[in-house]
Amino acid sequence: GGSTLPENAFVFCGHQGYQFLFFHLGEGPDPEIHHYLDGDGEFKVVAPAFSDWLVQAVRDEFPDVPANEPDGA
């Protein structure tokens, strides 16, 4: 058997029913992101925060767009 998805999990991305990404509701405004792949039997943290995951997902999808890092101003 594999891991059981927690009741407070919010699945926001899936692929063909055998893998998905989720975060735990109630972990604040920028929760860590977990990944499940059927057959692994466990959830893995793939990003420390949703915002980090989202930035990396955009960079992966659009590698030719230069990063616009905040200048702190």
Side-chain angles (χ1 to χ4, degrees):
S3 297
T4 301
L5 190 63
E7 285 188 28
N8 69 341
F10 182 86
V11 176
F12 66 93
C13 183
H15 182 69
Q16 298 187 354
Y18 69 90
Q19 65 177 320
F20 53 87
L21 296 166
F22 70 95
F23 57 84
H24 296 280
L25 295 172
E27 283 192 353
D30 206 10
E32 66 184 9
I33 302 304
H34 303 265
H35 177 254
Y36 178 76
L37 179 63
D38 194 25
D40 280 358
E42 64 183 15
F43 304 123
K44 296 179 182 172
V45 175
V46 294
F50 180 78
S51 60
D52 293 328
W53 176 86
L54 185 58
V55 167
Q56 190 59 53
V58 170
R59 287 181 179 161
D60 290 347
E61 194 66 31
F62 302 101
D64 296 331
V65 176
N68 184 12
E69 297 295 332
D71 62 8

